[in-house]
Amino acid sequence: MEAGAADALLSGVCVVFTLGMFSTGLSDLRHMWMTRRVDSVQFLPFLTTDVNNLSWLGYGTLKGDGTLIVVNAVGAVLQTLYILVYLHYCPRKGVELLQTAALLGVLLLGFGYFWLLVPNIEARLQQLGLFCSVFTISMYLSPLTDLARVIQTKSTQRLSFSLTIATLLTSASWTLYGFRLSDPYIMVPNVPGILTSFIRLWLFWKYPQEQDRNYQLLQT
């Protein structure tokens, strides 16, 4: 396979896997739409993913990378839709609006700094790439507290198997994509996604959800 065809195939794989991961939120969207309640749906992952998408969209635009632009533009639209529906059905919006204002403030300050105070394009690209990388790594590492809770309770009910597989495939494809482009800002932050996905898969193997249901039945 020629290099150009291989790059195009890898780009397509990144787009498909990433949009598949973003679309896992459609089940939450359907739940909120049908029940008109937010129940156990978590708001912060929608918000942080949206900010992450917008950050990488800026990096992709500055770099001229069509794959990054397409994926993160669609991702930002989806996450914004999830956020708006959540806020519509959330009875008390104070905390959510405060979180939204805080993260959007950080995003606006960051972009103001990069575009106004860093005139050199190459320096701007490197600093924005570093910002995106750190933000992505923090997103992948933030669920470690949930994983510790799973080990403590010996229950994987709070984990999503489909999201775990989607995250593994997405992280692996972007790691390979970043390696192919010799872009550490794309490659490095996706490695924690691979590692945490393997940890989740190990937890699913060690604490099967069928075992959780049987345990709950014995308790009732």
Side-chain angles (χ1 to χ4, degrees):
M1 185 180 292
E2 296 182 359
D7 291 343
L9 178 60
L10 181 56
S11 175
V13 168
C14 289
V15 171
V16 171
F17 285 160
T18 309
L19 294 184
M21 183 179 69
F22 291 154
S23 65
T24 56
L26 291 174
S27 59
D28 288 332
L29 179 66
R30 181 177 180 275
H31 172 78
M32 291 185 291
W33 183 269
M34 297 296 292
T35 63
R36 299 184 181 277
R37 299 172 59 184
V38 296
D39 291 332
S40 59
V41 177
Q42 296 183 345
F43 175 77
L44 197 56
F46 294 152
L47 181 59
T48 54
T49 304
D50 200 5
V51 173
N52 192 54
N53 287 149
L54 292 172
S55 301
W56 280 110
L57 178 60
Y59 180 79
T61 301
L62 189 61
K63 188 180 176 69
D65 189 309
T67 304
L68 284 173
I69 292 173
V70 170
V71 164
N72 289 287
V74 175
V77 170
L78 283 175
Q79 300 304 322
T80 301
L81 176 62
Y82 301 154
I83 289 171
L84 292 176
V85 173
Y86 186 101
L87 291 175
H88 179 70
Y89 291 118
C90 181
R92 295 189 179 91
K93 304 176 177 61
V95 174
E96 288 77 10
L97 290 175
L98 184 61
Q99 291 173 339
T100 302
L103 277 179
L104 286 181
V106 170
L107 187 66
L108 290 174
L109 285 174
F111 275 89
Y113 166 77
F114 294 129
W115 261 263
L116 297 178
L117 300 180
V118 186
N120 183 273
I121 300 297
E122 188 61 32
R124 185 189 306 168
L125 186 66
Q126 292 178 358
Q127 292 185 28
L128 182 56
L130 181 61
F131 172 83
C132 292
S133 298
V134 171
F135 198 90
T136 300
I137 291 173
S138 66
M139 281 184 57
Y140 279 133
L141 295 183
S142 60
L144 288 179
T145 53
D146 288 336
L147 300 185
R149 178 67 176 168
V150 168
I151 296 174
Q152 181 182 4
T153 61
K154 295 180 170 48
S155 172
T156 55
Q157 291 294 322
R158 66 193 297 128
L159 298 181
S160 169
F161 185 78
S162 60
L163 181 58
T164 298
I165 296 298
T167 302
L168 175 60
L169 294 175
T170 301
S171 301
S173 61
W174 280 109
T175 300
L176 186 58
Y177 184 80
F179 177 78
R180 182 74 177 174
L181 296 181
S182 300
D183 189 330
Y185 301 120
I186 298 176
M187 180 177 62
V188 173
N190 284 285
V191 174
I194 299 175
L195 298 178
T196 55
S197 295
F198 276 121
I199 293 174
R200 286 193 181 104
L201 289 175
W202 176 77
L203 290 173
F204 277 114
W205 171 80
K206 188 170 180 62
Y207 309 118
Q209 292 193 351
E210 184 63 35
Q211 174 181 307
D212 295 338
R213 286 193 289 270
N214 293 335
Y215 177 78
Q216 289 174 355
L217 289 173
L218 289 173
Q219 291 294 97
T220 55

